[in-house]
Amino acid sequence: MVSFSSEELKENLGTRFEMNAAIVEDLWKAYRIPHKKKESILENIASFLDMFESRRLDYEDFWAVKGVSLRIRKGESLGIMGVNGSGKSTLLKLIAGTIRPTRGKIDVRGKIAPILELGLGFHPELTVRDNVKIYASIMGLKNREIKNRMESILKFAELERFGDAKLKNLSSGMQMRLGFAVAIESNPDLFVIDEALAVGDIGFQTKCLDKFRDFQRNGCSIVLVSQSPAMISDFCHSALIMSRGEVVASGDARSISTKYITLTSPA
Amino acid sequence: MNLTLRDFKLRYRNSVLGFFWSLLNPLLMMVIFSIVFSFLFREGVSDYPVFVLPPILLWRFFSVSTMYSLDTITGNYQLVTKIYFPRWLLVLSSGLANLLGSSLEFVACFPLLIIFGMKLNYSLLSVPLIIIEMFILILGLSLALSSLNLFYRDFRQIWEIALQAGFYFSPIFYSPSIIPSNISFEYSLNPLTQAVESIRDAMYYGVFPSVENFAFVLLAGGVALLIGVFFFRRAERKFGDAV
């Protein structure tokens, strides 16, 4: 008979849990496409009466993500490719938790830093410093840590001179740089990046990728959506291709990105 | 906490002048009501400014907070669509910012009220308690309102009308004794009526508010909070899609 001390048991469980940074099981997401847009109470009443008369539904379901399952191991970087509208961004939003799935399960362990679309929920009327404070405190940093890291965040974003400028006065590239800087300084376990790097200049891109390599070495996982097969094969361990909401191919990053090039090149 | 400070800063645009403007509104209302009711109608209420200003401040706390709450989710769409965190924090921080603003308004009006004849009584100690129980009521309503406004963008208009009606249906600029006795029970079901009576007891009559008044507002706040949490939790699943 084998017996475990509680210490050993905990350790075993610990390593099992640590192996996966995120597990996604059979994920589905439907959006309703209304035939008529209704955002007010009056419109809702009107369309309800309408529906009653014509006896048909006034919306269609659009499935943006259809039964996606994936597993991201700790320290693994996963690249996601696919043409526009294939469900990549929806998948990332689901992983980041900003929208909820219609069906399926998502399990993310640890702190997640999403860089969805451009910028990170920054407020245009507030200064750069105030925005950093808010975002960092949402990311779970304490006020003292924020204070300590403020300068290094501004330095990484190359915005030292603009600390007290209102965010709306920054260019979109500057805002993106700031977003990356805060996300990087918040020490997440999982980065979720949606094509955001494309805006930065080459110098900044290289700087970020270097930083991400550091993170990879330290066991941080990354999910990267990109239209650049070169970046994916260069940077990620594994990759997958999405089409119409489904995963149509997955495997190691190099072969998948080659496949993506042949798939999308005009015949 | 940082969210609260942000809301507070945005509300007053980082300026002392901003707070001054927010103070000017209740003071002007006090002047207008004082002119209309003590000079034109000769209501026969002594120290009318002291009679009317505390209820106006309390009413403003209620109306401004709930109006702002309508925008807490829709107005923060940049945050809501980009990162996950408990959404009720947005409602709470907006409420706290208003609590801070209204408390400052009370403090700033304090010397003025004394000039107008308010007596320093122990009953004034109950004022913070009344503000806090109002805060609970406001929080409950805010949770419901913020989620409703997300799905029905014209809810603002409805709430505006409701507030306007509420202002006249609560004894803010008149004494509840003018209400005919056959409807006085229905009239007293309005929690704002009871809260206004409490604050007037504490600041005008110089007596501690009655336990019934206080308990009723607290009860209404508890019910509002339950309903608000229920609404909010149901709606929260769809926030990311609807914003």
Side-chain angles (χ1 to χ4, degrees):
Chain A
M1 197 177 123
V2 189
S3 68
F4 284 106
S5 75
S6 65
E7 282 296 297
E8 277 175 304
L9 201 64
K10 215 184 268 172
E11 219 164 76
N12 272 341
L13 284 175
T15 47
R16 251 197 56 190
F17 275 121
E18 268 173 28
M19 271 166 57
N20 294 311
I23 303 171
V24 169
E25 268 168 38
D26 193 27
L27 205 65
W28 295 74
K29 176 71 187 176
Y31 282 106
R32 277 185 180 180
I33 309 175
H35 293 151
K36 259 186 232 149
K37 195 173 167 64
K38 44 184 167 44
E39 279 192 330
S40 66
I41 292 174
L42 276 179
E43 283 162 359
N44 267 288
I45 294 171
S47 86
F48 182 75
L49 294 175
D50 220 34
M51 207 168 83
F52 206 67
E53 229 166 65
S54 58
R55 287 165 198 279
R56 65 189 174 86
L57 292 175
D58 66 340
Y59 62 82
E60 277 174 75
D61 277 338
F62 172 76
W63 292 91
V65 171
K66 293 186 276 197
V68 170
S69 297
L70 54 90
R71 184 176 298 252
I72 303 155
R73 267 173 256 282
K74 195 169 180 324
E76 180 189 349
S77 297
L78 172 72
I80 300 178
M81 287 174 285
V83 294
N84 296 148
S86 56
K88 307 181 300 287
S89 297
T90 308
L91 180 60
L92 288 205
K93 281 183 202 162
L94 287 164
I95 294 176
T98 60
I99 55 175
R100 306 265 177 102
T102 315
R103 279 211 297 278
K105 224 173 77 181
I106 307 158
D107 196 358
V108 178
R109 301 193 187 282
K111 187 152 79 178
I112 184 167
I115 306 179
L116 304 173
E117 292 149 16
L118 301 177
L120 307 158
F122 288 140
H123 197 290
E125 284 294 328
L126 290 172
T127 66
V128 170
R129 272 171 210 280
D130 284 341
N131 269 302
V132 170
K133 255 187 238 167
I134 286 160
Y135 190 77
S137 59
I138 287 177
M139 286 300 297
L141 294 189
K142 303 210 168 50
N143 269 342
R144 248 214 358 245
E145 294 172 293
I146 297 172
K147 226 176 183 175
N148 291 336
R149 296 184 193 183
M150 182 64 81
E151 293 315 312
S152 62
I153 288 173
L154 293 182
K155 186 156 178 266
F156 189 87
E158 297 159 32
L159 292 172
E160 292 105 320
R161 287 177 51 210
F162 302 100
D164 298 314
K166 281 189 178 175
L167 200 89
K168 62 177 178 188
N169 297 329
L170 300 187
S171 76
S172 58
M174 284 165 154
Q175 294 191 21
M176 187 274 312
R177 289 209 303 257
L178 186 66
F180 267 92
V182 193
I184 281 169
E185 281 291 330
S186 60
N187 279 338
D189 303 299
L190 174 66
F191 266 112
V192 174
I193 306 161
D194 190 0
E195 297 190 45
L197 262 179
V199 187
D201 53 48
I202 293 173
F204 188 76
Q205 280 194 21
T206 327
K207 194 159 93 175
C208 279
L209 289 177
D210 284 346
K211 199 84 186 176
F212 286 143
R213 288 218 166 81
D214 283 349
F215 274 108
Q216 282 180 327
R217 273 193 288 277
N218 292 329
C220 170
S221 318
I222 298 171
V223 181
L224 176 71
V225 162
S226 176
Q227 289 295 344
S228 151
M231 184 185 267
I232 298 243
S233 70
D234 190 34
F235 185 71
C236 298
H237 305 117
S238 54
L240 54 86
I241 301 175
M242 287 190 75
S243 172
R244 293 162 195 257
E246 285 167 295
V247 177
V248 289
S250 67
D252 80 285
R254 214 165 290 264
S255 60
I256 291 294
S257 35
T258 324
K259 192 169 181 187
Y260 185 64
I261 296 172
T262 47
L263 269 179
T264 48
S265 54
Chain B
M1 195 54 219
N2 279 328
L3 273 173
T4 305
L5 285 178
R6 179 197 71 160
D7 283 348
F8 191 71
K9 271 187 188 169
L10 281 174
R11 206 139 304 170
Y12 297 113
R13 297 268 171 233
N14 280 329
S15 67
V16 184
L17 209 66
F19 179 67
F20 173 77
W21 284 118
S22 86
L23 203 57
L24 205 63
N25 183 305
L27 290 180
L28 267 175
M29 274 172 76
M30 178 197 74
V31 170
I32 293 165
F33 282 121
S34 297
I35 291 171
V36 171
F37 289 98
S38 36
F39 294 111
L40 300 183
F41 286 106
R42 305 205 180 270
E43 266 279 294
V45 178
S46 62
D47 297 331
Y48 188 79
V50 187
F51 178 84
V52 78
L53 187 54
I56 287 178
L57 290 175
L58 195 69
W59 173 259
R60 252 178 73 79
F61 178 35
F62 178 77
S63 61
V64 171
S65 303
T66 50
M67 279 308 279
Y68 267 113
S69 79
L70 288 166
D71 285 329
T72 44
I73 303 299
T74 43
N76 282 302
Y77 69 92
Q78 319 104 318
L79 274 178
V80 173
T81 52
K82 294 293 162 60
I83 185 167
Y84 179 76
F85 57 99
R87 301 330 189 180
W88 54 266
L89 281 176
L90 288 171
V91 182
L92 181 68
S93 66
S94 162
L96 283 173
N98 279 311
L99 176 66
L100 190 65
S102 273
S103 305
L104 285 176
E105 282 180 23
F106 267 97
V107 171
C109 286
F110 203 78
L112 202 69
L113 283 164
I114 291 178
I115 293 171
F116 282 124
M118 182 177 73
K119 306 213 174 31
L120 287 171
N121 261 312
Y122 283 118
S123 64
L124 289 174
L125 295 175
S126 60
V127 171
L129 288 178
I130 298 168
I131 293 177
I132 286 171
E133 67 170 4
M134 274 301 278
F135 180 63
I136 298 172
L137 179 68
I138 286 168
L139 212 57
L141 282 171
S142 298
L143 284 169
L145 288 171
S146 60
S147 30
L148 276 173
N149 191 49
L150 187 59
F151 301 108
Y152 308 107
R153 300 293 162 101
D154 54 355
F155 205 79
R156 163 179 304 279
Q157 276 73 26
I158 294 175
W159 188 245
E160 235 166 72
I161 295 167
L163 280 177
Q164 234 170 52
F167 182 80
Y168 292 102
F169 280 112
S170 313
I172 291 166
F173 57 89
Y174 55 87
S175 159
S177 57
I178 65 163
I179 300 298
S181 59
N182 57 336
I183 58 157
S184 69
F185 173 72
E186 287 83 350
Y187 184 78
S188 70
L189 286 179
N190 171 8
L192 264 311
T193 299
Q194 311 246 8
V196 163
E197 281 177 2
S198 296
I199 199 107
R200 188 167 281 146
D201 279 346
M203 298 182 82
Y204 179 72
Y205 294 110
V207 296
F208 279 96
S210 78
V211 179
E212 296 94 76
N213 276 347
F214 190 80
F216 186 86
V217 180
L218 204 59
L219 184 75
V223 172
L225 204 58
L226 274 179
I227 295 173
V229 168
F230 174 77
F231 250 101
F232 198 78
R233 288 177 63 109
R234 288 196 53 151
E236 199 182 12
R237 298 181 54 82
K238 296 182 195 149
F239 279 178
D241 297 330
V243 157

